[in-house]
Amino acid sequence: MFDAASAYQNLRQRFREVSWLKSSSAILGWDQETYMPSGASDFRADQLSFLDGQAHRLGTAPEIGGWIKACEDHEFPDGSVELTNVKGWRRNYDREVKLPTDFVEELTRATSTGTHLWAEARKKSDFALFQPHLEKLMELQRRKADYWGWQACRYDALLDAYEPGARSAEISALFDEVGPQISALVGPATEKSRQTPEDLLKGHYPVAAQQAFNREVAEAFGFDFGAGRIDATNHPFCTSLGPKDIRLTTRYDEADFLSSLYGVLHECGHGLYEQGLSAEEWLLPAGEAVSLGIHESQSRLWENHVGGSTAFWEHWMPRAVHHFPHLAGLKPEDMAAAARRVSPSFIRVEADEVTYDLHIILRFTLERRIINGELAVKDIPAAWNELFEKLLGLKVPDAARGCLQDIHWSCGLVGYFATYTLGNLNASQLMHRARQDDAGLDAALAAGNYAPLLSWLREKVHRHGQRYLPQDLMRHATGHATQASHHLAHLRSKYL
Amino acid sequence: MFDAASAYQNLRQRFREVSWLKSSSAILGWDQETYMPSGASDFRADQLSFLDGQAHRLGTAPEIGGWIKACEDHEFPDGSVELTNVKGWRRNYDREVKLPTDFVEELTRATSTGTHLWAEARKKSDFALFQPHLEKLMELQRRKADYWGWQACRYDALLDAYEPGARSAEISALFDEVGPQISALVGPATEKSRQTPEDLLKGHYPVAAQQAFNREVAEAFGFDFGAGRIDATNHPFCTSLGPKDIRLTTRYDEADFLSSLYGVLHECGHGLYEQGLSAEEWLLPAGEAVSLGIHESQSRLWENHVGGSTAFWEHWMPRAVHHFPHLAGLKPEDMAAAARRVSPSFIRVEADEVTYDLHIILRFTLERRIINGELAVKDIPAAWNELFEKLLGLKVPDAARGCLQDIHWSCGLVGYFATYTLGNLNASQLMHRARQDDAGLDAALAAGNYAPLLSWLREKVHRHGQRYLPQDLMRHATGHATQASHHLAHLRSKYL
């Protein structure tokens, strides 16, 4: 038996240790993507696997169960940091210890093989090469869901790992509302964006000038460069290496400065959330982001609602011209229009804001049916292509541009895709509410003053860590659980 | 009881784990000096302290003693990787476990306080501020030596930690031979270098051009950029993050490209040694550098013997002019002369190649007397100033430019300084022998072909790891233990 105070201190110390190991891993991972020499990859894999194993071992030791129980018996006050942490620890601990060690090892091996086979299959655009292994991977996902336990539907168990408390029936209802309305929007929005010449921004954009401009904007948004930085990688990301060490990355194309700029604004949104979490409780549940769907709302809000507006370009045009003098003849509306181009395409990561959610809805629909046993893996290509044509009006030419394009399933990320669209819906809903709460918000944004918006997000979202479940956080911040209407209104107003 | 084979495998696995932790620490340390945002330092200290503690705990666990004993009883063959590892593990393990835990904690606290007090005292140039604490630090060093054990003299125990097998009586004999002869050389060498105008290389040297030139030279020396890189830091260093991940740093002064160049050539020498160690046994004794005195010989050899020669500039002048066009009018001899300037000064880290060893001899002499109880800490300033004037002919104006200039004593590095001069002596002796072994060596170096020299060093030094004690390595490579004569001959031929 433990008294709750000492059990809590034991837990806090233990998970601080886990956070030191995990954040050390994160530093090694960041370095691997940014600066590591190519020859170092094998040894780096050994280092990472050891650190991750140590973190797992420390975080799942049997004594932890007793400590959590002692804390639960104590009943810390509602809304307290202690209760938030204890609930989070319980959630994570149960999730970890419910999986038998030999199952975790099998899963690790299967996903490691899976990513290699998938890469090979994608290269050859040959689904048959990947199919037998994908069957095994999906079977393992089903077993994982069963170990974790579920009520209404097996898929919910997987979803819950990325979006705590989410239920696929609810998400499905939202997506059923969103999908057809977005599909209907694609044609007119595409038509409208044809009015902007494709070569409008043609020119040379030196990397150094892009870096300077991106940094100016990120700094204006409120990103603290004393507690973060921006580097270059092949795939943009945001990673947290410590409470005052949030790193963004982007990639540079000297023919297209919008690509690195909007990459930075997106990752900056993630970074502002991370910089707004409690430093004291960092990487403990009270100081950790609540879900992927909320995290993505922050990146999409700064990227699309703030950065994608005409008001943004009205403010930033002079600075853009300062860094890229050949833009001098253009108007802010031109910039906004160029950033707002809509064109249905096959690849999710290249999709525009309007069509993006259709790519997600397709994946959510299929993987839910696979996990729930309503769709066989062998039938994925046909189902994919049929639904793609229905949603986006395009015939998928091959598996590489169809069901083999994403790495997610091969590395065990099933239940993850839905959070991208939840992020878009949440972003629109949060932005709508922020405008209601602060009548001066748009004037401030137009003046390049982002502090009022950031303060609102800090107050309503960032500072809470995992105090609320995601949908409770949305209710608390906006008065409602996630709704479709605000995002549909946003898309219509921005694109039509 | 264990059989030797499984005991050896246990040890190997255990120390591989220690190497993953230590190299993860090294990555965090490298990041801290290169890219980490300023706000992250407190959390980084927590991460590092945790990783270092874990590595120490793993590497000193009681079961290790039994495994080592089982391996020793087995008697692995002379010269085998196994024997090298077992001997090294024994050496390190004994050193670690002989220190009681409360003593280690006291030492850690005292050196942590020590570096703060020292920085304060140096800033105010006030030795009295540091004296009481330095007395404590030196007393702790004496106790450490007693825990470790010693025969002829207490100071030997400390020396041995950096230079295994070294005895202060032998080093003292070498330094007694070297000191007066170098002192006699300073005047004429200073006089000679006055013939080269101080503003000979005056001009602007953009960082990007320095980086490009430094990289070309390091690549030509044989540094593998697929297994290493160069970044910028305030203080140049070389760090090993993995067997194929050796990182150098330098600092850039746009008024003086020689500073970053010779910084890179020095660290490149360290890096070539690290890249030449066994990847298979990396960070195990068979794949680890043998001593600081041998490590420094590699850096000084490439910096001073190769990079400091007129032949170097005869080959590289066209490339230097390519990167820095305003050098076009100069001759290779001018460049070599500018890089060879001698001028006695107070600060060790700014000293030229000729006077550098006099700074070291002074420190070695004083710290040996302190540890052996022949000099009181309160008498250090007077002793320092007197010996400095005798060796370098200058009156020390204040403690900041005298006995307070180095961080070493404050952070517990006693017995370390001698290895710098051992490195210089070893470098000259190795270079002398390499020339004897390969009559075409100088012609190759003059043609910018560094492969024969690197092969010789790989064969004679790098590949052995800790197979031999440093002096046995020198005998094996050159036929003799470290001698003074080759270095004195090198200095006379280069500077007179």
Side-chain angles (χ1 to χ4, degrees):
Chain A
M1 286 303 296
F2 308 91
D3 71 285
S6 68
Y8 184 80
Q9 280 316 312
N10 289 344
L11 284 164
R12 202 170 187 288
Q13 174 60 23
R14 172 62 59 91
F15 286 106
R16 292 260 296 162
E17 293 176 4
V18 172
S19 83
W20 292 325
L21 284 166
K22 285 191 175 169
S23 54
S24 296
S25 264
I27 294 167
L28 270 60
W30 171 85
D31 177 72
Q32 181 169 326
E33 301 301 321
T34 51
Y35 296 110
M36 188 184 81
S38 56
S41 50
D42 288 349
F43 190 78
R44 182 60 53 91
D46 291 343
Q47 293 171 310
L48 281 168
S49 143
F50 180 71
L51 291 182
D52 293 347
Q54 291 288 100
H56 179 80
R57 199 184 52 75
L58 270 183
T60 58
E63 62 269 25
I64 292 175
W67 295 338
I68 295 177
K69 183 73 176 55
C71 288
E72 286 169 340
D73 291 346
H74 175 71
E75 296 177 3
F76 286 105
D78 254 1
S80 63
V81 164
E82 289 81 357
L83 185 65
T84 301
N85 281 333
V86 171
K87 280 180 166 176
W89 289 327
R90 163 61 72 199
R91 191 182 137 76
N92 299 337
Y93 184 72
D94 283 356
R95 193 180 292 284
E96 300 272 11
V97 300
K98 279 179 177 173
L99 302 182
T101 309
D102 57 354
F103 174 77
V104 172
E105 285 167 5
E106 195 179 348
L107 196 61
T108 305
R109 274 195 308 274
T111 53
S112 168
T113 312
T115 50
H116 286 101
L117 285 173
W118 162 77
E120 187 68 18
R122 185 174 75 155
K123 211 165 131 191
K124 297 184 178 156
S125 195
D126 182 354
F127 183 75
L129 274 183
F130 187 43
Q131 184 197 313
H133 198 74
L134 184 57
E135 279 165 0
K136 180 177 179 157
L137 286 166
M138 288 297 184
E139 183 51 38
L140 288 168
Q141 292 295 328
R142 271 189 287 269
R143 281 176 57 200
K144 188 167 77 171
D146 291 343
Y147 283 124
W148 282 343
W150 46 274
Q151 295 178 323
C153 123
R154 180 178 273 128
Y155 183 70
D156 285 355
L158 304 180
L159 195 57
D160 190 86
Y162 306 106
E163 199 64 25
R167 296 289 169 264
S168 50
E170 289 163 17
I171 291 179
S172 193
L174 276 173
F175 287 8
D176 286 348
E177 184 182 351
V178 165
Q181 299 197 57
I182 292 182
S183 284
L185 228 154
V186 173
T190 306
E191 198 53 47
K192 182 153 187 244
S193 65
R194 289 215 182 99
Q195 296 167 11
T196 308
E198 290 213 10
D199 61 355
L200 185 71
L201 301 185
K202 203 174 169 186
H204 179 71
Y205 301 87
V207 168
Q210 293 190 48
Q211 288 174 322
F213 184 52
N214 295 348
R215 187 184 165 108
E216 261 184 62
V217 181
E219 218 155 17
F221 278 9
F223 187 76
D224 176 1
F225 281 90
R229 47 179 292 123
I230 306 177
D231 296 274
T233 50
N234 288 330
H235 300 282
F237 61 82
C238 166
T239 181
S240 293
L241 310 187
K244 308 244 179 242
D245 193 355
I246 311 302
R247 307 204 186 174
L248 319 179
T249 74
T250 192
R251 67 183 143 207
Y252 297 97
D253 173 354
E254 293 204 322
D256 173 17
F257 84 104
L258 292 182
S259 148
S260 83
L261 172 67
Y262 282 99
V264 164
L265 301 195
H266 179 97
E267 303 308 334
C268 179
H270 286 302
L272 289 170
Y273 186 6
E274 293 288 322
Q275 288 187 338
L277 292 164
S278 160
E280 189 63 28
E281 302 297 313
W282 190 75
L283 264 198
L284 307 181
E288 200 168 8
V290 64
S291 77
L292 293 184
I294 297 297
H295 227 311
E296 191 73 3
S297 77
Q298 301 303 294
S299 56
R300 299 295 264 178
L301 188 152
W302 290 98
E303 175 192 8
N304 292 330
H305 292 261
V306 180
S309 66
T310 306
F312 174 86
W313 285 108
E314 275 162 2
H315 177 75
W316 286 101
M317 198 65 212
R319 297 305 302 159
V321 170
H322 169 84
H323 291 292
F324 314 116
H326 68 272
L327 296 176
L330 295 174
K331 287 183 292 225
E333 308 84 89
D334 296 330
M335 305 302 294
R340 213 159 49 204
R341 199 178 301 281
V342 175
S343 171
S345 62
F346 297 107
I347 303 296
R348 175 184 59 86
V349 296
E350 295 164 4
D352 55 78
E353 189 186 3
V354 173
T355 56
Y356 192 90
D357 292 316
L358 301 176
H359 292 264
I360 296 306
I361 290 170
L362 176 143
R363 286 155 178 78
F364 167 79
T365 306
L366 296 195
E367 67 179 30
R368 186 178 171 218
R369 291 177 58 203
I370 298 163
I371 295 300
N372 290 345
E374 299 152 17
L375 175 67
V377 167
K378 71 172 170 47
D379 297 326
I380 290 176
W384 181 291
N385 297 353
E386 187 192 332
L387 190 49
F388 196 88
E389 191 171 355
K390 186 178 152 203
L391 287 166
L392 279 128
L394 295 176
K395 271 194 194 305
V396 175
D398 51 42
R401 279 175 282 184
C403 65
L404 282 179
Q405 69 183 267
D406 295 307
I407 195 174
H408 296 60
W409 294 342
S410 76
C411 63
L413 300 173
V414 178
Y416 185 113
F417 280 120
T419 66
Y420 291 115
T421 287
L422 283 177
N424 284 330
L425 305 184
N426 292 337
S428 295
Q429 186 166 330
L430 288 165
M431 197 66 198
H432 176 79
R433 179 58 186 236
R435 285 195 166 100
Q436 287 188 323
D437 285 358
D438 179 355
L441 191 69
D442 278 308
L445 294 176
N449 174 14
Y450 303 100
L453 177 59
L454 182 57
S455 298
W456 190 89
L457 293 168
R458 290 262 188 269
E459 167 69 20
K460 300 293 181 181
V461 179
H462 303 176
R463 71 185 175 94
H464 296 298
Q466 300 183 354
R467 179 174 173 185
Y468 306 109
L469 285 174
Q471 287 304 306
D472 292 333
L473 182 78
M474 286 302 292
R475 279 186 203 99
H476 197 264
T478 70
H480 299 280
T482 304
Q483 297 173 305
S485 56
H486 302 292
H487 189 54
L488 291 167
H490 157 73
L491 291 179
R492 284 193 196 102
S493 121
K494 184 168 170 184
Y495 289 93
L496 293 187
Chain B
M1 284 304 296
F2 309 91
D3 72 285
S6 68
Y8 183 80
Q9 281 315 315
N10 289 343
L11 285 164
R12 203 170 185 290
Q13 175 59 24
R14 174 62 58 91
F15 286 107
R16 292 260 295 162
E17 293 176 6
V18 172
S19 83
W20 292 325
L21 284 166
K22 285 192 176 170
S23 55
S24 296
S25 264
I27 295 167
L28 270 59
W30 170 85
D31 177 71
Q32 182 169 327
E33 301 301 321
T34 51
Y35 297 110
M36 187 184 82
S38 56
S41 49
D42 288 349
F43 190 77
R44 183 59 53 92
D46 291 343
Q47 293 171 309
L48 281 169
S49 144
F50 180 71
L51 291 182
D52 293 345
Q54 291 288 100
H56 179 81
R57 198 184 53 75
L58 270 185
T60 58
E63 61 270 24
I64 292 175
W67 295 338
I68 295 178
K69 183 73 176 54
C71 289
E72 287 169 340
D73 291 345
H74 175 71
E75 295 179 3
F76 285 106
D78 253 2
S80 64
V81 164
E82 289 83 356
L83 186 65
T84 300
N85 280 334
V86 171
K87 279 179 167 176
W89 289 327
R90 162 62 71 198
R91 193 183 135 74
N92 299 338
Y93 184 72
D94 283 355
R95 195 181 291 286
E96 300 271 12
V97 299
K98 279 179 178 172
L99 301 182
T101 309
D102 56 354
F103 174 77
V104 172
E105 284 167 3
E106 194 179 347
L107 196 61
T108 305
R109 275 195 308 275
T111 52
S112 168
T113 313
T115 49
H116 285 101
L117 285 172
W118 162 77
E120 187 69 19
R122 186 174 75 155
K123 209 165 133 193
K124 297 186 177 155
S125 195
D126 183 353
F127 182 75
L129 275 183
F130 187 43
Q131 184 197 314
H133 198 73
L134 184 56
E135 280 165 1
K136 180 179 180 154
L137 286 167
M138 289 297 184
E139 184 50 40
L140 288 168
Q141 292 295 328
R142 271 189 288 268
R143 281 176 58 199
K144 187 167 75 171
D146 291 343
Y147 283 125
W148 282 343
W150 46 275
Q151 295 178 322
C153 122
R154 178 179 274 128
Y155 183 69
D156 285 357
L158 303 180
L159 196 56
D160 191 85
Y162 306 105
E163 199 63 24
R167 296 289 169 266
S168 50
E170 289 162 17
I171 291 178
S172 192
L174 277 173
F175 287 8
D176 285 348
E177 185 183 349
V178 165
Q181 298 196 55
I182 292 182
S183 283
L185 230 154
V186 173
T190 307
E191 196 54 45
K192 186 157 184 240
S193 65
R194 289 214 182 99
Q195 295 167 12
T196 308
E198 292 211 8
D199 61 355
L200 185 70
L201 302 186
K202 203 173 169 187
H204 179 72
Y205 300 88
V207 167
Q210 293 190 47
Q211 288 174 321
F213 184 52
N214 295 348
R215 188 183 164 108
E216 262 184 60
V217 180
E219 219 154 17
F221 279 10
F223 186 76
D224 177 1
F225 281 89
R229 46 179 293 121
I230 306 178
D231 296 275
T233 51
N234 288 329
H235 300 282
F237 61 81
C238 167
T239 182
S240 293
L241 310 187
K244 309 246 180 236
D245 193 355
I246 311 301
R247 306 204 187 174
L248 320 179
T249 74
T250 193
R251 67 184 142 206
Y252 299 97
D253 173 354
E254 293 204 320
D256 172 18
F257 84 104
L258 292 181
S259 147
S260 83
L261 172 66
Y262 282 99
V264 164
L265 300 194
H266 179 97
E267 302 308 334
C268 178
H270 286 303
L272 289 170
Y273 186 7
E274 293 287 323
Q275 288 187 338
L277 292 165
S278 159
E280 189 63 26
E281 302 297 312
W282 190 76
L283 262 200
L284 308 181
E288 199 170 9
V290 64
S291 75
L292 293 184
I294 298 297
H295 227 311
E296 191 72 4
S297 77
Q298 302 304 295
S299 56
R300 299 297 263 179
L301 188 153
W302 291 98
E303 175 192 8
N304 292 329
H305 292 262
V306 180
S309 66
T310 305
F312 174 86
W313 285 107
E314 276 162 2
H315 177 74
W316 286 100
M317 197 66 213
R319 296 307 301 160
V321 171
H322 170 85
H323 291 292
F324 314 115
H326 68 273
L327 295 177
L330 295 174
K331 288 183 295 231
E333 308 83 270
D334 296 330
M335 305 301 294
R340 211 158 53 203
R341 199 178 300 282
V342 176
S343 171
S345 63
F346 297 108
I347 304 296
R348 175 183 62 84
V349 296
E350 295 165 4
D352 56 77
E353 188 187 2
V354 173
T355 56
Y356 192 89
D357 293 316
L358 301 175
H359 291 265
I360 296 306
I361 290 170
L362 176 145
R363 285 155 178 77
F364 168 79
T365 307
L366 296 194
E367 69 179 30
R368 188 179 171 216
R369 291 176 59 203
I370 298 163
I371 295 301
N372 290 346
E374 299 152 16
L375 175 67
V377 167
K378 72 173 170 46
D379 297 327
I380 290 176
W384 180 291
N385 298 353
E386 188 191 331
L387 190 50
F388 196 88
E389 191 170 355
K390 189 179 151 202
L391 287 166
L392 279 129
L394 294 176
K395 272 193 194 306
V396 175
D398 51 42
R401 280 175 282 184
C403 64
L404 283 179
Q405 70 184 264
D406 295 306
I407 196 175
H408 296 59
W409 294 342
S410 76
C411 62
L413 300 173
V414 178
Y416 184 114
F417 280 122
T419 66
Y420 290 116
T421 287
L422 283 177
N424 284 330
L425 305 185
N426 292 337
S428 294
Q429 187 166 332
L430 289 165
M431 197 64 198
H432 177 79
R433 180 57 186 238
R435 285 196 165 101
Q436 287 189 324
D437 285 356
D438 180 355
L441 189 70
D442 278 308
L445 293 177
N449 173 13
Y450 303 100
L453 176 59
L454 182 57
S455 299
W456 190 89
L457 292 168
R458 290 263 188 266
E459 166 68 21
K460 299 293 182 180
V461 180
H462 304 176
R463 71 186 175 95
H464 296 298
Q466 300 183 354
R467 178 172 172 186
Y468 305 110
L469 285 174
Q471 287 304 305
D472 292 333
L473 182 78
M474 286 301 292
R475 279 188 201 97
H476 197 265
T478 70
H480 299 279
T482 304
Q483 296 174 306
S485 55
H486 303 292
H487 191 54
L488 291 167
H490 158 72
L491 291 179
R492 283 194 196 101
S493 121
K494 184 169 171 183
Y495 289 93
L496 292 187

